[in-house]
Amino acid sequence: MKQVRDKSFVPFIASATLQERIKILAQEINKDYGGKNPLMIGVLNGSFMFLADLFKSIEIECEITFIRVSSYQNTESTGKVKQILGLKEEIQNRDIIIVEDIVDTGMTMQEILGQLASQKPASIKIMTMLFKPEALKVPLKLDYVGFEIENKFVVGYGLDYDGFGRNLDAIYVLKE
Ligand code: IMP
Ligand code: MG
């Protein structure tokens, strides 16, 4: 059992299981993007550990960068806007792979996808380490999924609870 702040978490996906799956995902990228040089865009903070391990098994020519998504901001017109911060690269005509730690409601990914797609990349695909199908609220096509999980709160391997727990080398689920 692991204590993160005021909550207890129990083992959910072991480190070896994660690493095994990540190797397979990397092989899929190596196969699908042979002869291309995609740009992987990791969404901070959660994706840093997953993408670091994945990237080590990428054998094609591939670039990497990271973005951050600002929290919801009120605007007079739309009410809610999430802004992408930190993207310096030109993505027009590039093959883009967005890499997330987890897709929950899908709202964050939908927003990122819309904003990046408007910059006219050659192609755009989504990879997420974890996906909670039951929580999904918007239509979203996920191209590479590490693990589909139940709609429960998880921490570790980059994922946080209140900023903590990211350092755990495996995924843990909230104890019931
Ligand atoms: P979405 O917009 O609802 O899909 O939420 C995506 C973001 O919420 C992720 O990038 C995570 O930062 C966070 N999140 C969703 N579920 C969990 C969880 O179970 N543990 C930790 N963070 C989560
Ligand atoms: Mg995240």
Side-chain angles (χ1 to χ4, degrees), residues 43-44 46 72 82 100-109 130 132 135-136 140 149 152-155 159-161 166:
V43 184
L44 292 172
Y72 280 119
K82 272 191 175 186
E100 253 287 28
D101 52 356
I102 187 165
V103 172
D104 187 48
T105 64
M107 313 271 261
T108 307
M109 188 50 82
L130 303 177
K132 296 177 181 174
L136 192 68
L140 207 54
I149 63 168
K152 290 183 178 166
F153 192 78
V154 291
V155 293
L159 289 149
D160 73 302
Y161 163 54
R166 296 191 196 275

Side-chain angles (χ1 to χ4, degrees), residues 137-149:
K137 288 208 177 95
V138 293
L140 207 54
K141 180 176 168 280
L142 301 177
D143 303 282
Y144 306 95
V145 174
F147 300 89
E148 288 195 359
I149 63 168

